[in-house]
Amino acid sequence: LISVGLGLAMWEQKVQMFAPCRYVFGVAVLRSLEVASRTMTLALFAVATHPHGLPVVLVVDYIVMVLIISRHKSVHLTYGFFVAIPLVLVSLEPFVWRRQDHAVPKDIYYTVRAIEIAALWVVILSNRSLMRVDTFEVWSSLEVLAVLVTSGLFCLLPFVWRAARHQELSQELEDWDDERGDDFSGSEGSRESAEEAMALVQAAAKAEEQEQESEQNLPPE
């Protein structure tokens, strides 16, 4: 679980190389909680509804993801059939991507997850009486751990979401940066050079506007 969270956080850092360490750390914690919450909740539900409950939930979740992808239209539907597979377990796309670059926008994704988790827990708690006595203690411990992890996920989510908006990055810009190669990626000098170039362009544009205004103010001969 931790390795998956770290892997997703490293991808987040790759697509937004100027993100501060505290943001990357927050994403790593959030992703680990997300994977743990999803895994434990599905495990509890699978035991409570054995043998057909888990496959039904996964198929329904996949269909919902495909429908959202087709409605959002960020990726082609043919590609969306493949993208929806990992989305059944976790949202792989970086938080720093713009909403229109996501196959399934984060706000919609986590809203679906919250509704689904509530529905799964209704079933889990209603089937609690069916558990065997010798495994009831383990079952109860896993329930408490799942509730704590899920609560941590949704408590941390608004803070990471807000921080991600300050680091927001276009997917097109990321692809362009990858095509440039590694000559300037990750260097502080490249960022300063870009800022200086932008300042020069703005100064030249301002000087041109002032020149045009002065010519308009000249008295006619």
Side-chain angles (χ1 to χ4, degrees):
L1 302 180
I2 296 176
S3 62
V4 174
L6 290 176
L8 293 174
M10 290 175 63
W11 187 20
E12 195 96 16
Q13 186 179 32
K14 177 183 179 299
V15 301
Q16 178 51 287
M17 63 187 70
F18 301 118
C21 294
R22 62 181 180 274
Y23 170 74
V24 178
F25 176 77
V27 172
V29 174
L30 177 72
R31 292 301 203 169
S32 299
L33 291 174
E34 180 181 357
V35 176
S37 171
R38 184 70 172 157
T39 303
M40 287 188 284
T41 304
L42 288 177
L44 289 168
F45 182 81
V47 174
T49 60
H50 182 77
H52 304 298
L54 182 60
V56 171
V57 166
L58 295 179
V59 170
V60 171
D61 197 279
Y62 176 79
I63 294 173
V64 171
M65 291 296 116
V66 171
L67 291 176
I68 296 174
I69 291 172
S70 63
R71 185 177 180 83
H72 187 57
K73 298 180 180 179
S74 175
V75 298
H76 195 276
L77 183 57
T78 304
Y79 181 62
F81 285 117
F82 297 97
V83 174
I85 296 175
L87 289 175
V88 170
L89 298 177
V90 63
S91 178
L92 297 177
E93 299 160 315
F95 278 88
V96 294
W97 279 2
R98 299 177 305 171
R99 189 179 190 276
Q100 56 266 38
D101 292 331
H102 282 77
V104 176
K106 288 288 191 289
D107 54 340
I108 299 177
Y109 181 84
Y110 287 107
T111 300
V112 172
R113 281 288 164 264
I115 296 173
E116 182 185 43
I117 287 173
L120 294 182
W121 270 103
V122 169
V123 177
I124 291 170
L125 294 177
S126 63
N127 291 345
R128 232 167 162 256
S129 59
L130 302 178
M131 292 302 301
R132 289 176 6 198
V133 177
D134 57 340
T135 60
F136 188 79
E137 185 176 350
V138 176
W139 173 273
S140 299
S141 300
L142 186 57
E143 281 183 333
V144 172
L145 185 59
V147 169
L148 292 176
V149 169
T150 303
S151 300
L153 165 65
F154 285 99
C155 287
L156 184 59
L157 181 60
F159 298 98
V160 174
W161 174 267
R162 182 178 179 181
R165 300 289 59 79
H166 295 290
Q167 309 291 334
E168 193 168 83
L169 179 70
S170 170
Q171 186 179 0
E172 296 176 358
L173 180 60
E174 175 209 340
D175 295 339
W176 173 78
D177 186 66
D178 289 340
E179 291 174 0
R180 291 174 59 203
D182 296 328
D183 294 338
F184 298 100
S185 62
S187 65
E188 187 67 24
S190 64
R191 185 178 185 180
E192 294 176 355
S193 300
E195 292 176 350
E196 292 175 359
M198 181 63 69
L200 291 174
V201 171
Q202 292 176 349
K206 187 175 182 180
E208 185 177 355
E209 291 178 358
Q210 292 177 347
E211 183 178 354
Q212 292 177 354
E213 290 178 357
S214 62
E215 290 178 356
Q216 293 175 358
N217 295 331
L218 289 175
E221 296 181 355

